[in-house]
Amino acid sequence: MKLNRSILLLLIASLPILVLGQNQDLDQNSGSQWEFDIAPYIWFSSIKGNIGFLNQTVPVEAEFKDILDQLSFGALLHGEAHKGSWTIMTDVVYLKIKEEGNLVNGLVSTEVEIDQTIWEVGAAYTLINLNDNLTFDGLFGLRYFGLKPSLMVGQQNELTKSLDFIDPYFGMRFKSVNDKWINTARFDVGGLGVGSKISWKLNLFIGYQFSDLFSLHLGYQGYDVDYVDDNSFAYDMYTGGFITGFNFNF
């Protein structure tokens, strides 16, 4: 039930963001039309960090090839709606992976499973716009983390933990357009004790516009979250790597 309440809270809290996008008075060009971007993508990510519980710290590290071998399921999608100076955006990342290792000089087998959902809803407002060739946006929104790490040591289940929380975030985004080439950079920071201790997101992209409908983007994306609950359970994890996606504009 906690998961359902958190998702419901995210939906309710995102309503003001959606209303901003519908408000004609906030649009400097109220005659403009809505434009949409839908971008399914592939993230060649690795993970590195620590899970802490019962005064123990378990390091977790897996490269993309390890994640690909152990990936149970993954879904990644980014979407935006633009009108005038306002942009409404959402991004969904779901990964379920397993990693096997050993403790006590390799004598005891371990298996770590991480079920990770990151869902953000946000808005951006263009602060600087130079002939649509160079723009600078301010960002704000909410980011939901659903985490379910588990740890098997030998045949014993040492940890099964399910947690979810919502981080407010704010940041900036830069975009430049040169003929058919599109470059973007984004950074934001969130949490600050509201959900996690701190979380942040970074991405850098270069893209090429093949047509009015379709473009291809390559770049790098990273998420970092540092969470500690009242029971001294700690989840400090960085997920990052190269990314490629198809962007459909209409």
Side-chain angles (χ1 to χ4, degrees):
M1 293 300 294
K2 182 181 177 184
L3 175 62
N4 293 334
R5 289 197 301 269
S6 294
I7 293 178
L8 179 61
L9 177 61
L10 179 60
L11 290 171
I12 294 173
S14 67
L15 287 177
I17 296 174
L18 299 179
V19 171
L20 284 174
Q22 297 289 347
N23 192 336
Q24 295 282 345
D25 294 333
L26 293 176
D27 188 359
Q28 292 181 349
N29 183 8
S30 60
S32 63
Q33 300 295 316
W34 282 102
E35 298 179 1
F36 301 92
D37 296 332
I38 302 296
Y41 60 93
I42 301 172
W43 192 12
F44 302 91
S45 62
S46 60
I47 60 174
K48 184 175 183 180
N50 297 289
I51 298 174
F53 65 102
L54 300 177
N55 297 318
Q56 303 179 68
T57 299
V58 178
V60 177
E61 184 172 2
E63 299 298 326
F64 172 72
K65 61 181 179 63
D66 302 317
I67 293 177
L68 189 62
D69 291 340
Q70 303 298 332
L71 183 65
S72 299
F73 183 77
L76 307 99
L77 181 69
H78 183 83
E80 296 189 5
H82 314 271
K83 188 175 183 183
S85 297
W86 286 96
T87 299
I88 303 169
M89 62 185 68
T90 187
D91 192 89
V92 178
V93 173
Y94 176 75
L95 296 172
K96 184 175 182 180
I97 59 174
K98 293 181 181 180
E99 182 190 9
E100 296 179 353
N102 295 282
L103 295 175
V104 193
N105 296 323
L107 299 179
V108 181
S109 63
T110 63
E111 181 181 276
V112 177
E113 181 175 287
I114 298 176
D115 193 319
Q116 178 174 267
T117 301
I118 307 173
W119 175 27
E120 69 178 48
V121 177
Y125 185 78
T126 300
L127 302 172
I128 299 173
N129 187 343
L130 301 178
N131 299 320
D132 292 329
N133 294 323
L134 181 64
T135 58
F136 180 83
D137 300 337
L139 310 174
F140 64 95
L142 300 169
R143 184 155 48 231
Y144 165 81
F145 289 92
L147 307 171
K148 190 177 180 180
S150 64
L151 173 65
M152 295 286 295
V153 178
Q155 300 300 314
Q156 186 172 353
N157 189 345
E158 294 289 342
L159 171 69
T160 298
K161 182 75 173 180
S162 180
L163 63 145
D164 58 292
F165 54 90
I166 295 173
D167 280 355
Y169 71 85
F170 59 92
M172 63 191 76
R173 180 171 65 175
F174 164 86
K175 180 179 180 180
S176 69
V177 179
N178 183 7
D179 194 14
K180 293 184 177 294
W181 292 98
I182 305 168
N183 304 303
T184 60
R186 166 182 169 164
F187 178 77
D188 69 63
V189 63
L192 303 178
V194 177
S196 66
K197 290 173 59 178
I198 190 169
S199 63
W200 56 264
K201 176 182 179 180
L202 165 73
N203 58 39
L204 304 166
F205 290 108
I206 181 169
Y208 187 81
Q209 188 83 35
F210 288 93
S211 69
D212 292 339
L213 175 65
F214 171 75
S215 60
L216 175 66
H217 295 260
L218 303 171
Y220 182 90
Q221 176 166 281
Y223 274 105
D224 188 270
V225 57
D226 186 358
Y227 174 87
V228 179
D229 68 11
D230 295 335
N231 298 315
S232 298
F233 173 81
Y235 185 92
D236 184 4
M237 200 70 59
Y238 176 76
T239 306
F242 291 101
I243 190 170
T244 181
F246 302 99
N247 195 354
F248 299 94
N249 316 285
F250 55 94

